[in-house]
Amino acid sequence: MNSQKTKLDDSQLVNQYINGNEVAFEQLVIRHKSRIFSTIYMIVKDQYVAEDLMQEVFIKAIRTLKSGRYNEEGKFLPWILRIAHNLAIDKFRKNKRYPTIVMDDGNSVFETLEFAEGSFEDAQMKKDMHKSLRKLIQELPDAQKEVLIMRHFMDMSFKEISEQTGVSINTALGRMRYALINLRKKMQQYNIAYDQNFYS
């Protein structure tokens, strides 16, 4: 019986689960949990946090499926990965990690934080500016924010982004470009762009 279930595609398993077959969801978990865990871990960088968030992802997925609100046309994996990265991003917003974002001209938004040689004031200023940057990223339109986070925080290729979001590679590239343009504008608006202390 189990061997038959492993041959079913995701949409068939989803339909079986919606119709009351609890084992079908277990098969989906087994099939995709490593990919879901990796997606979360690449953002939060903490095994235990990632494991907790993975449980939240499955709980949210179960609630959606049982409520009848699932309508992803058989694209279960991109759907559940979107849930995973949204939850991980929410966690990231409360995290004190500061990944480097590269603008479209090849320059880093901020250099990697190196507090050892700087004064306390410099270190505090960098922390404040990184906090401002995270806030600006959250203000971007959802589609642009999604691509920027997938590319720079999850280190995904544009092909992977295209597959996960269900858009063409050109569309993903376009969204990334607009995200960087808008981010640059916001940084200039708040007078935090091209500060000589932080740009090479």
Side-chain angles (χ1 to χ4, degrees), residues 110-147:
F110 297 115
E111 298 299 320
T112 304
L113 295 186
E114 295 289 350
F115 294 147
E117 297 178 9
S119 67
F120 172 78
E121 289 79 11
D122 288 342
Q124 188 60 45
M125 192 180 298
K126 286 188 179 185
K127 283 185 179 181
D128 291 344
M129 293 179 76
H130 278 289
K131 186 176 180 181
S132 298
L133 177 63
R134 292 204 309 276
K135 184 175 182 296
L136 295 182
I137 292 169
Q138 293 305 319
E139 292 175 3
L140 291 172
D142 287 344
Q144 295 175 21
K145 178 172 60 177
E146 180 180 52
V147 173

Side-chain angles (χ1 to χ4, degrees), residues 11-24:
S11 60
Q12 290 171 312
L13 288 170
V14 167
N15 286 331
Q16 286 197 5
Y17 177 69
I18 290 172
N19 291 322
N21 183 351
E22 299 289 328
V23 178

